[in-house]
């Protein structure tokens, strides 16, 4: 009798063991469990004197939805405080595809300066992760080896050159995709869901029970995904320039740009010596340049050969869209519009040929964006002045090349979460407008939206008031904010003449750049090329 029961229990133990093993394997494959180990390494840069830093890597599954042993490596840097007094903060960069700039000593010193300037970071460990596919993480989904800058900016060295930039760009996209796939990279695994699981794995590997999420631009969408799927490890969240989970963002660019331009016209009408009828002027410029693009020539005053570029109405709107990111560049926009409307293209030429130092892992950008937006609906058929700008968006032709088999676009449904969340927005932001912050806040009962007057994208980097608001929030995340500087923010101080401008836009904005600033839209920054034969 006893033997019989013993055999029965032994058999039951074996059944339970097999069942547990099967459940464990299923969880590993589905991504619910991943016991990654953080491997400390010597930092790959010189550590500044008297600074404490931890460097290392974490291996995570490339695709948690597949029964594959393929892993990728995330690079992690922790800026250690003199004395830890508060919960750690993890920074989530934008893009998608923008590195966090943790490559060398210059980058690290810039980070330390940024941390020192934010009193809400003092006494906290600041965790900086290069997300999958970017920066120091392996593999890096960069296409810079294949993409020629002049091709993507439709620049030629001869006024008579007949170049099919569209074909060149398409060939470069196909070449980059082919090279990444040849390395065994699963492009479908580079998305926000996998990215969020990585971030949670980093927290567990570092032994952090709870931390504060700090995301900018696309980093806010990633933060919201982490909050949605892994809320247990989050004590609070700071979302700067909010991109909600349930917004098909590329479809909204035209309307968002139009909204920002209406704000610009409103403030311009109240200012002295600012162009009247600014909105009508923009529409007239776009109509004319779309009908007949203007040929512009670079003039840097040096020995470099002249460059030429045809500029269409869509190109003009793309430039305006980018300028609206920066609070100081906003001040120059009315004068740029006025001069262009008067057929004085010199200011336009100065800006259109200005160099761009933005680092984006284009493969990561394409993989994320093409898997999360419905590209078939990008071309808006209504008779809006921005319809061609939207219709020529890179993703309308890149995505079918990047994922020729197509991708299933999953509609996200934000969960109702009681995580205290600060949602910051710039009034002028054309990429992540303030109504998106309010939209995201609907599922966050302890969320507080703050819109700063006269600001574009990336609030904390744009004005010290953003940092003051964050400090007040973290002092008591569930208390209603009463930060005094919010009511003191002013409208842009518009440039009247070229002589009033303190210096080129690039020079003036360089002073406020931080190592994590979002320098360009969260989509690839260039549009399809234009030439007289195409119009």
């Amino acid at each position: 009798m006893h033997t019989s029961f013993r055999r029965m229990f032994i058999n039951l133990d074996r059944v339970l063991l097999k069942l547990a093993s099967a459940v464990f394997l299923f969880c590993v494959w589905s991504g619910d469990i991943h016991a990654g180990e953080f491997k400390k390494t010597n930092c790959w840069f010189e550590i500044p004197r008297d600074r404490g830093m931890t460097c290392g890597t974490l291996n995570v599954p490339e695709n948690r939805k597949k029964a594959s042993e393929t892993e990728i490596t995330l690079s992690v840097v922790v800026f250690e405080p003199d004395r830890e007094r508060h919960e750690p903060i993890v920074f989530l960069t934008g893009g998608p595809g923008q590195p966090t700039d943790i490559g060398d000593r210059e980058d690290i010193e810039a980070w330390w300066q940024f941390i020192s300037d934010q009193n809400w970071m003092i006494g906290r460990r600041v965790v900086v992760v290069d997300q999958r596919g970017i920066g120091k993480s392996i593999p890096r989904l960069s296409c810079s080896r294949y993409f020629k800058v002049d091709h993507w900016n439709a620049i030629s060295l001869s006024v008579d050159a007949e170049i099919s930039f569209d074909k060149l760009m398409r060939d470069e996209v196909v070449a980059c995709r082919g090279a990444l796939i040849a390395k065994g990279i699963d492009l479908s695994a580079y998305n926000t869901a996998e990215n969020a699981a990585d971030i949670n794995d980093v927290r567990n590997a570092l032994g952090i029970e709870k931390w504060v999420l700090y995301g900018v631009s696309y980093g806010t969408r990633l933060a919201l995904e982490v909050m949605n799927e892994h809320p247990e490890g989050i004590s609070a969240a700071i979302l700067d320039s909010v991109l909600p989970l349930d917004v098909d963002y590329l479809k909204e660019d035209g309307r968002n740009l139009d909204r920002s331009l209406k704000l610009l016209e409103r403030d311009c009408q109240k200012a002295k010596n600012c162009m009247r009828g600014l909105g009508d002027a923009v529409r007239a410029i776009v109509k004319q340049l779309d009908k007949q693009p203007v040929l512009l020539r670079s003039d840097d005053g040096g020995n470099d050969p002249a460059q030429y570029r045809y500029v269409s109405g869509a190109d003009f709107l793309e430039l305006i869209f980018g300028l609206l990111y920066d609070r100081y560049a906003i001040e120059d926009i009315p004068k740029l519009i006025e001069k262009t409307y008067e057929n004085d293209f010199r200011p336009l030429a100065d800006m259109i040929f200005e160099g761009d130092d933005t680092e984006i892992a284009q493969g990561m950008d394409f993989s994320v964006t093409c898997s999360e937006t419905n590209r078939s609906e990008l071309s808006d058929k209504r008779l809006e002045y921005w319809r061609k700008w939207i219709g020529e968006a890179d993703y309308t032709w890149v995505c079918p090349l990047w994922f020729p088999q197509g991708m299933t676009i999953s509609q996200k449904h934000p969960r109702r979460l009681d995580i205290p969340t600060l949602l910051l927005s710039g009034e002028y932001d054309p990429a992540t407008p303030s109504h998106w912050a309010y939209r995201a806040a609907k599922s966050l009962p302890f969320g507080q939206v703050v819109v700063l007057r006269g600001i574009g994208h990336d609030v904390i980097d744009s004005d010290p008031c953003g940092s003051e608001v964050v400090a007040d929030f973290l002092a008591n995340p569930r208390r209603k904010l009463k930060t005094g500087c919010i009511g003191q923010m002013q409208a842009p101080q518009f440039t009247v003449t070229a002589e009033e401008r303190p210096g080129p836009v690039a020079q003036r904005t360089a002073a406020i750049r931080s190592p994590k600033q979002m320098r360009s839209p969260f989509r690839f920054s260039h549009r399809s090329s234009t030439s007289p034969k195409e119009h």
Side-chain angles (χ1 to χ4, degrees):
M1 185 75 170
H2 294 287
T3 302
S4 169
F5 272 108
R6 184 169 176 271
R7 287 175 179 167
M8 183 178 71
F9 280 116
I10 289 174
N11 291 336
L12 181 60
D13 287 344
R14 289 173 177 167
V15 170
L16 291 174
L17 181 60
K18 290 180 179 179
L19 180 61
S21 298
V23 170
F24 176 78
L25 288 173
F26 172 78
C27 290
V28 170
W29 292 344
S30 63
D32 293 334
I33 295 175
H34 182 259
E37 177 185 356
F38 179 71
K39 299 176 183 177
K40 287 188 179 181
T41 65
N42 292 327
C43 292
W44 47 87
F45 47 81
E46 183 182 353
I47 298 177
R49 186 178 178 181
D50 300 326
R51 296 293 193 184
M53 303 198 68
T54 300
C55 299
T57 61
L58 176 68
N59 287 356
V60 297
E62 182 182 43
N63 194 331
R64 293 170 174 85
K65 293 183 178 180
K66 294 182 179 179
S68 171
E69 295 182 357
T70 303
E71 291 188 326
I72 61 176
T73 302
L74 306 177
S75 292
V76 182
V77 170
V78 183
F79 295 80
E80 305 284 1
D82 293 334
R83 181 167 64 89
E84 188 172 4
R85 300 188 295 273
H86 309 287
E87 290 172 322
I89 288 177
V90 60
F91 171 69
L92 307 176
T93 188
Q98 185 180 13
T100 56
D101 291 340
I102 52 174
D104 55 33
R105 173 160 180 161
E106 185 178 354
D107 290 338
I108 298 304
E109 287 180 338
W111 262 109
W112 275 115
Q113 184 61 55
F114 177 75
I115 292 170
S116 299
D117 291 343
Q118 315 300 319
N119 61 3
W120 49 276
M121 284 187 167
I122 305 300
R124 298 179 186 270
R125 302 177 76 198
V126 178
V127 181
V128 180
V129 185
D130 261 337
Q131 298 162 24
R132 59 170 51 209
I134 67 176
K136 300 291 291 184
S137 293
I138 303 172
R140 180 168 177 254
L141 272 62
S142 172
C143 293
S144 57
R145 178 180 175 183
Y146 304 94
F147 287 11
K148 301 295 186 290
V149 175
D150 285 357
H151 296 171
W152 287 81
N153 286 288
I155 291 175
S156 62
L157 298 180
S158 170
V159 68
D160 298 319
E162 294 186 8
I163 303 172
S164 176
F165 291 110
D166 287 344
K167 182 180 185 305
L168 290 171
M169 290 188 295
R170 289 171 186 272
D171 290 345
E172 289 167 6
V173 169
V174 171
C176 179
R177 176 183 179 273
L180 294 176
I181 292 175
K183 293 178 181 178
I185 296 173
D186 180 359
L187 297 178
S188 68
Y190 293 81
N191 54 59
T192 302
E194 291 286 356
N195 213 349
D198 293 346
I199 299 302
N200 191 58
D201 281 350
V202 170
R203 179 183 64 82
N204 287 326
L206 291 175
I208 296 173
E209 182 180 355
K210 285 183 178 291
W211 60 9
V212 177
L213 301 181
Y214 168 33
V216 180
S217 195
Y218 167 74
T220 66
R221 190 182 185 100
L222 176 56
L224 288 165
E225 179 74 8
V226 177
M227 294 162 68
N228 225 36
E229 301 300 326
H230 310 282
E232 69 283 354
I234 306 164
S235 60
I238 303 159
L239 308 181
D240 185 346
S241 307
V242 185
L243 178 57
L245 289 173
D246 57 349
V247 167
D248 196 346
Y249 47 90
L250 291 182
K251 290 163 55 178
E252 304 296 322
D253 274 354
R255 285 182 286 272
N256 290 342
L257 173 61
D258 185 61
R259 182 197 67 88
S260 295
L261 285 174
K262 286 177 179 176
L263 289 175
L264 186 72
E265 183 170 25
R266 179 202 66 187
D267 286 340
C268 199
Q269 288 177 344
K270 297 177 182 178
K272 294 181 179 179
N273 301 320
C274 195
M275 181 184 189
R276 297 297 182 264
L278 185 142
D280 290 338
V282 169
R283 286 185 282 274
I285 291 169
V286 171
K287 182 179 179 180
Q288 177 60 34
L289 292 182
D290 276 340
K291 181 179 180 180
Q292 180 59 56
V294 61
L295 177 64
L296 298 182
R297 178 183 184 274
S298 66
D299 182 16
D300 60 5
N303 296 322
D304 294 334
Q307 297 178 324
Y308 300 90
R309 176 179 175 180
Y310 283 97
V311 176
S312 68
D315 297 322
F316 182 75
L317 289 179
E318 179 72 3
L319 176 63
I320 296 295
F321 188 92
L323 293 174
L324 284 164
Y325 268 56
D326 191 285
R327 69 171 303 182
Y328 296 106
I330 290 170
E331 298 173 356
D332 295 312
I333 295 176
K335 183 55 61 177
L336 171 66
I337 293 171
E338 182 177 2
K339 290 293 185 180
T340 306
Y341 183 70
E342 295 172 348
N343 291 325
D344 179 354
F345 298 111
R346 288 173 296 177
L348 178 60
D350 288 342
M351 293 185 180
I352 213 77
F353 287 106
E354 192 173 281
D356 183 2
D357 63 351
T358 303
E359 276 191 62
I360 291 286
Q362 299 92 346
M364 181 63 177
D365 176 25
F366 295 156
S367 293
V368 173
T369 304
C370 294
S371 66
E372 297 183 5
T373 189
N374 192 342
R375 58 184 180 271
S376 64
E377 298 180 11
L378 286 187
S379 298
D380 198 299
K381 300 186 187 311
R382 293 180 300 167
L383 297 178
E384 302 283 3
Y385 67 93
W386 39 260
R387 69 187 184 281
K388 191 168 186 179
W389 177 61
I390 293 297
E392 290 185 354
D394 291 329
Y395 300 105
T396 59
W397 59 267
V398 167
C399 291
L401 295 176
W402 201 254
F403 291 124
Q405 75 282 9
M407 289 289 289
T408 302
I409 308 299
S410 57
Q411 183 65 46
K412 290 289 183 179
H413 298 286
R415 295 169 54 187
R416 185 175 176 83
L417 301 166
D418 63 358
I419 298 172
T421 304
L422 173 63
L423 302 96
L424 294 170
S425 181
E427 178 188 34
Y428 271 88
D429 191 347
T432 55
S434 55
H435 66 268
W436 284 5
Y438 287 105
R439 178 173 181 149
K442 288 181 180 179
S443 61
L444 300 167
F446 292 97
Q448 298 189 65
V449 177
V450 174
V451 180
L452 264 63
R453 181 89 166 94
I455 299 294
H457 201 63
D458 194 353
V459 171
I460 293 173
D461 271 330
S462 298
D463 193 275
C465 186
S467 184
E468 290 182 38
V469 174
V470 177
D472 285 354
F473 169 73
L474 289 179
N476 189 341
R478 295 180 185 269
R479 180 185 63 194
K480 186 176 180 180
L481 288 166
K482 296 181 179 180
T483 313
C485 66
I486 298 174
Q488 299 170 6
M489 297 297 295
Q490 297 181 354
Q493 305 301 302
F494 296 113
T495 301
V496 178
T497 64
E499 287 71 24
E500 290 186 18
R501 189 178 296 126
V505 172
Q507 293 178 13
R508 289 188 289 129
T509 58
I512 65 166
R513 297 295 189 201
S514 82
K516 57 135 199 101
Q517 175 131 4
M518 187 64 217
R519 296 186 181 90
S520 69
F522 52 78
R523 50 183 169 68
F524 202 68
S525 58
H526 304 295
R527 300 270 161 172
S528 297
S529 62
T530 56
S531 72
K533 295 181 180 180
E534 297 173 28
H535 295 270

